């Protein structure tokens, strides 16, 4: 259980910083115009019944 | 203010709060309509979704509530209470999110309304409001203000809630998600650092178990069978969670939200484990006489970190707790207010509001929501009980109808959803009122009513309401479906 605690600490500490770094990479897309986020990586979807 | 909490710590917390307000002002100019405000224009990507999901869903209810449960029940807080959730987080990612993305709704009650009509939408809006009113996190901010700044609890509540309200009202979900990103990293980092230092100072769970006795590490602790059943039931909440639904609709693409929920599941598990460990360490420190013998379970986490962390790091941890609280307060305030205006009002009156009216009303109602949350927080002695009450109302109202919409659409007939939602909502609220008025206090801070069944007297606790309301809601769903089938056949 002590090992599990250390693993949780490592995932939570460096892991959260890594996710935050990826968020900063996407920041311009998220803040930009409505279409840009998905258009640049080809992931924009039109939602709704199909 | 505690002796260990100095000017540097206070400055860190104040700086953090100013940054949050700055983000709200920056994002405010991006809001053009209600869709921008409520689902950030549908352009959130995986990293931001991870940040906002993790920090929103885990507020002070988890941070203080899990450590409180670990303080009383030991490692069972993780095994019996937290672990069942991971199955349903994964199910929400793989099974629910892709199906939700095929719908054109932007909120949970709207999904109900599209399938079952306005009464079901109104019932779902009210249940979502009760579930989303940030009762625990508002109360928790009062606790932080009192512990570290020497403020009256209500002053801490009002200051923290007002700042969260300010940036949410300005920038909606986009401001909320952006501040969540900062709050996510602050809460995760601070918990990790606190756990690492306590681990070195106090020892690991095995060492603590050896000092406290085997009961502290027993997987199911001293929990009764009905408590385990309630925990397992509450763990189904992620399948019908309003914040999950909102973020699913706000994602730029389906795979972005699926990935975010799966990554979030790993982070949630780690956060749970760390917080449970800190609660267990608190019990050990009380037994050793290094923390007060009369320490309340809800304050154990703060007491442990105040004991273990040096100045500066203590400020970071308190900022992390404030972050955990604010990320929950802002998100759920937005959802609760949006549900009442966008779903409740439009369903009851049958009138569509303009974007301008929707934005203005949602912003105004956000303030009312926070005031209601503050009032409700006074009704619960244990944080976990408040969370179970809120989940009971939500699950009893929307669980069966939503599962039908997503997985067995041919069962989703109008009466089925309407009966299930209204009966579930009414019964869960009626049970709560009955326990509050007729119940007698129990040893663990809850309320119970004595019921005689077959000559045997049985104490039914308030938290067992879920085990009554959820099956009745299913029966109402079946009755409504049968009524619709009979009507179709006779037509």
């Amino acid at each position: 259980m002590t090992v599990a605690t250390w693993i949780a600490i490592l995932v939570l500490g460096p892991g959260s910083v890594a996710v935050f770094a990826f968020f900063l990479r996407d920041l311009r897309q998220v803040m930009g115009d409505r279409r840009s986020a998905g258009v640049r990586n080809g992931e924009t979807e039109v939602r709704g019944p199909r | 203010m505690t002796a260990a909490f100095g000017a540097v710590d206070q400055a860190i917390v104040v700086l953090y709060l100013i940054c949050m307000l700055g983000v709200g002002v920056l994002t405010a100019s991006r809001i053009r309509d209600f869709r921008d405000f409520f689902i950030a224009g549908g352009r959130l990507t995986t990293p931001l979704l991870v940040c906002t999901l993790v920090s929103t869903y885990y507020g002070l209810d988890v941070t203080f509530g899990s450590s409180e449960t670990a303080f009383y029940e030991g490692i069972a807080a993780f095994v019996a209470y937290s672990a069942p959730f991971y199955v349903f987080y994964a199910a929400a990612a793989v099974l629910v999110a892709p199906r939700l993305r095929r719908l054109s709704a932007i909120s949970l009650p709207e999904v109900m309304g599209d399938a079952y009509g306005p009464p079901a939408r109104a019932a779902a809006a009210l249940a979502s409001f009760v579930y989303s009113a940030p009762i625990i996190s508002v109360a928790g901010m009062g606790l932080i203000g009192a512990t570290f700044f020497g403020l009256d609890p209500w002053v801490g509540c009002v200051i923290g809630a007002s700042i969260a309200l300010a940036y949410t009202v300005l920038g909606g979900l986009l401001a909320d998600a952006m501040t969540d990103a900062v709050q996510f990293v602050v809460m995760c980092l601070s918990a990790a650092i606190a756990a690492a230092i306590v681990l070195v100072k106090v020892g690991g769970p095995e060492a603590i178990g050896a000092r406290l006795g085997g009961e502290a590490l027993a997987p199911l602790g001293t929990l009764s069978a009905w408590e385990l059943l309630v925990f397992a039931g509450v763990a189904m909440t992620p399948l019908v969670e309003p914040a999950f639904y909102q973020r699913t609709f706000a994602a730029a693409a389906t795979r972005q939200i699926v990935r975010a929920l799966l990554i979030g599941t790993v982070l949630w598990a780690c956060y749970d484990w760390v917080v449970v460990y800190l609660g267990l360490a608190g019990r050990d420190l009380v037994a050793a006489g290094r923390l007060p013998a009369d320490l309340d379970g809800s304050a154990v986490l703060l007491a442990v970190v105040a004991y273990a962390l040096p100045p500066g790091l203590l400020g970071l941890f308190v900022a992390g707790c404030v972050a955990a609280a604010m990320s929950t307060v802002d998100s759920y305030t937005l959802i609760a207010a949006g549900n009442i205006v966008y779903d409740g009002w439009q369903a009851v009156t049958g009138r569509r509001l303009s974007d301008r009216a929707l934005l203005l009303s949602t912003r105004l109602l956000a303030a009312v929501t926070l005031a209601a949350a503050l009032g409700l927080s006074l009704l619960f002695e244990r944080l976990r009980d408040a969370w179970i009450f809120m989940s009971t109302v939500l699950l009893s109202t929307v669980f069966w109808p939503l599962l039908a919409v997503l997985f067995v659409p041919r069962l989703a007939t109008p009466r089925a959803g309407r009966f299930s939602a209204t009966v579930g909502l009414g019964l869960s609220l009626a049970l709560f009122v009955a326990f509050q008025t007729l119940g007698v206090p129990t040893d663990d801070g809850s309320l119970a009513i004595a019921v005689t069944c077959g000559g045997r007297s049985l104490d039914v606790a308030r938290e067992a309401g879920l085990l009554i309301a959820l099956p009745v809601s299913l029966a109402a769903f079946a009755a409504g479906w049968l009524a619709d089938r009979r009507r179709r056949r006779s037509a």
Side-chain angles (χ1 to χ4, degrees):
Chain A
M1 279 191 247
T2 303
V3 174
T5 312
W6 279 117
I7 291 171
I9 289 167
L10 288 174
V11 171
L12 216 51
S16 64
V17 174
V19 171
F20 190 73
F22 281 109
F23 152 69
L24 291 178
R25 186 202 62 179
D26 285 356
L27 189 57
R28 276 178 56 197
Q29 296 180 346
V30 173
M31 291 287 281
D33 71 277
R34 178 171 304 188
R35 287 165 50 81
S36 65
V39 168
R40 287 182 201 182
N41 56 19
E43 288 190 345
T44 290
E45 288 175 354
V46 178
R47 283 185 44 231
R50 47 190 79 145
Chain B
M1 188 174 72
T2 65
F5 197 76
V8 176
D9 298 305
Q10 283 191 332
I12 288 172
V13 177
V14 171
L15 184 68
Y16 158 79
L17 292 174
I18 292 169
C19 286
M20 294 302 98
L21 278 174
V23 172
V25 173
L26 272 176
T27 52
S29 61
R30 309 275 165 174
I31 306 304
R32 293 175 192 90
D33 54 28
F34 187 72
R35 191 180 154 79
D36 271 348
F37 186 74
F38 199 63
I39 58 166
R43 56 174 181 262
L44 300 190
T45 57
T46 300
L48 187 52
L49 286 165
V50 172
C51 297
T52 185
L53 280 165
V54 170
S55 61
T56 293
Y57 197 57
Y58 274 24
L60 290 187
D61 43 354
V62 172
T63 310
F64 288 176
S66 292
S67 55
E68 175 193 56
T69 309
F71 182 71
Y72 293 119
E73 306 289 349
I75 219 79
F78 181 84
V79 179
Y81 186 65
S82 302
F85 275 87
Y86 310 137
V87 176
F88 293 102
Y89 295 147
V94 178
L95 301 175
V96 175
R99 285 174 168 81
L100 279 177
R101 296 279 305 179
R102 291 180 204 145
L103 308 174
S104 55
I106 63 167
S107 71
L108 180 151
E110 193 178 9
V111 175
M112 289 280 287
D114 289 348
Y116 301 110
R121 185 178 183 182
L126 188 56
S128 180
F129 177 84
V130 171
Y131 175 84
S132 303
I135 299 172
I136 302 166
S137 290
V138 166
M141 287 196 290
L143 183 65
I144 293 170
T147 308
F148 293 104
F149 290 86
L151 300 171
D152 277 338
W154 72 269
V155 177
C157 290
V158 170
I159 292 174
S162 302
I163 292 171
L165 182 67
Y167 64 71
T168 306
V169 160
L170 284 170
L173 182 63
L174 187 58
D176 177 8
M178 302 285 278
T179 50
D180 281 352
V182 180
Q183 289 156 352
F184 161 79
V185 82
V186 172
M187 74 184 250
C188 289
L189 257 185
S190 62
I193 292 170
I197 291 174
V198 174
L199 198 58
V200 171
K201 281 194 173 182
V202 178
E206 287 90 348
I208 294 173
R211 289 193 289 270
L212 293 177
E215 182 202 297
L217 299 187
L220 302 181
T222 58
L223 296 167
S224 63
W226 79 262
E227 281 177 307
L228 293 172
L229 210 53
V230 170
F231 286 174
V234 168
M236 296 189 297
T237 310
L239 299 179
V240 294
E241 223 285 334
F244 283 18
Y245 278 43
Q246 187 191 30
R247 279 147 185 78
T248 298
F249 299 135
T254 303
R255 62 176 163 170
Q256 310 250 15
I257 183 67
V258 172
R259 278 189 213 141
L261 279 165
L262 292 175
I263 295 169
T265 304
V266 175
L267 288 162
W268 279 315
C270 292
Y271 193 83
D272 281 330
W273 182 262
V274 157
V275 170
V276 163
Y277 164 70
L278 290 171
L280 196 62
R283 185 160 149 185
D284 185 44
L285 290 170
V286 169
R290 285 187 274 177
L291 288 179
D294 60 349
L295 183 66
D296 185 69
S298 62
V300 66
L301 189 68
L302 294 177
V304 170
V305 297
Y307 167 81
L309 298 192
L313 283 181
L314 183 57
L316 182 68
F317 186 84
V318 174
C321 286
V322 175
M326 290 181 81
S327 57
T328 304
V329 168
D330 54 20
S331 296
Y332 284 106
T333 300
L334 179 64
I335 291 171
N339 283 164
I340 291 295
V341 175
Y342 180 74
D343 296 296
W345 176 260
Q346 296 195 134
V348 169
T349 62
R351 285 171 46 200
R352 288 187 69 85
L353 292 170
S354 68
D355 260 358
R356 192 181 151 83
L358 277 171
L359 279 170
L360 180 65
S361 318
T362 305
R363 284 169 164 154
L364 285 175
L365 205 73
V368 178
T369 302
L370 277 178
L374 198 54
L376 277 170
S377 71
L378 302 174
L379 297 177
F380 295 92
E381 195 167 312
R382 282 181 71 167
L383 300 173
R384 193 192 68 196
D385 295 347
W387 161 243
I388 290 174
F389 159 69
M390 293 150 66
S391 300
T392 297
V393 173
L394 181 73
L395 284 166
S396 306
T397 309
V398 303
F399 187 72
W400 304 114
L402 281 178
L403 285 196
V405 170
L406 296 175
F407 297 103
V408 203
R410 67 188 171 83
L411 294 182
T413 62
R415 280 195 175 87
R418 207 160 61 225
F419 285 13
S420 180
T422 48
V423 169
L425 176 67
L427 182 60
S428 56
L429 292 177
L431 282 171
F432 177 72
V433 172
F435 278 109
Q436 290 300 120
T437 50
L438 305 173
V440 290
T442 61
D443 292 341
D444 62 358
S446 184
L447 294 165
I449 295 176
V451 176
T452 306
C453 182
R456 289 179 58 192
S457 181
L458 187 70
D459 282 341
V460 180
R462 182 178 58 192
E463 286 61 51
L466 180 69
L467 303 181
I468 301 166
L470 199 56
V472 172
S473 169
L474 177 61
F477 186 90
W481 183 78
L482 285 171
D484 275 332
R485 194 175 70 157
R486 199 172 302 136
R487 198 172 177 207
R488 269 200 312 272
R489 283 185 174 175
S490 62

